Amino acid sequence: MRFIKDKDVYKIARITGTQDNILGVSFTENETDIQVVEWDIKEGSVRKASSEEVLAQVIDGLRAVNKELGSNYKLSKIYYLPTDSTAHSVYKFLIAEIVKRVNSKGEFVTI
């Protein structure tokens, strides 16, 4: 997995033999409606992930990791690639990995 920070967006890329996913999030101090942003897809690519599906998985994963860590991270934006697979609740796992890395002050490649 790769962890990247681009301004205020924390990103994680997970590339496996059968499934590739990338997720980006921006954190906020205050409760707010979370904006879901789709990254551009290549012409002719097939959509596999819907914004509703990604939002639901990320919120579930965020709740679980906040409970596990005793933290209260909040999101303002979620970025995802609609051609990524949503199988096996992968976005729950990805948001948990981002939050754990931020919480432990782990490294992100800055671009």
Side-chain angles (χ1 to χ4, degrees), residues 1-91:
M1 284 187 288
R2 293 199 58 204
F3 294 90
I4 303 158
K5 185 170 184 226
D6 183 3
K7 298 178 183 124
D8 70 335
V9 180
Y10 292 85
K11 300 175 185 178
I12 185 171
R14 179 176 177 260
I15 300 169
T16 67
T18 59
Q19 183 175 325
D20 300 338
N21 295 92
I22 184 168
L23 176 69
V25 296
S26 293
F27 293 100
T28 184
E29 295 289 322
N30 305 311
E31 288 290 332
T32 185
D33 289 336
I34 301 171
Q35 180 183 0
V36 181
V37 180
E38 294 181 354
W39 280 312
D40 293 335
I41 60 176
K42 293 179 184 177
E43 188 174 325
S45 295
V46 177
R47 286 180 169 271
K48 298 177 186 172
S50 72
S51 59
E52 295 83 10
E53 199 172 14
V54 172
L55 177 62
Q57 285 190 32
V58 170
I59 288 172
D60 285 349
L62 183 63
R63 282 186 189 132
V65 75
N66 273 334
K67 183 176 180 180
E68 176 185 333
L69 298 175
S71 58
N72 191 25
Y73 288 93
K74 300 174 189 77
L75 300 176
S76 61
K77 291 184 182 177
I78 297 170
Y79 301 84
Y80 81 103
L81 190 60
T83 56
D84 282 353
S85 171
T86 60
H88 309 295
S89 304
V90 70
Y91 292 103

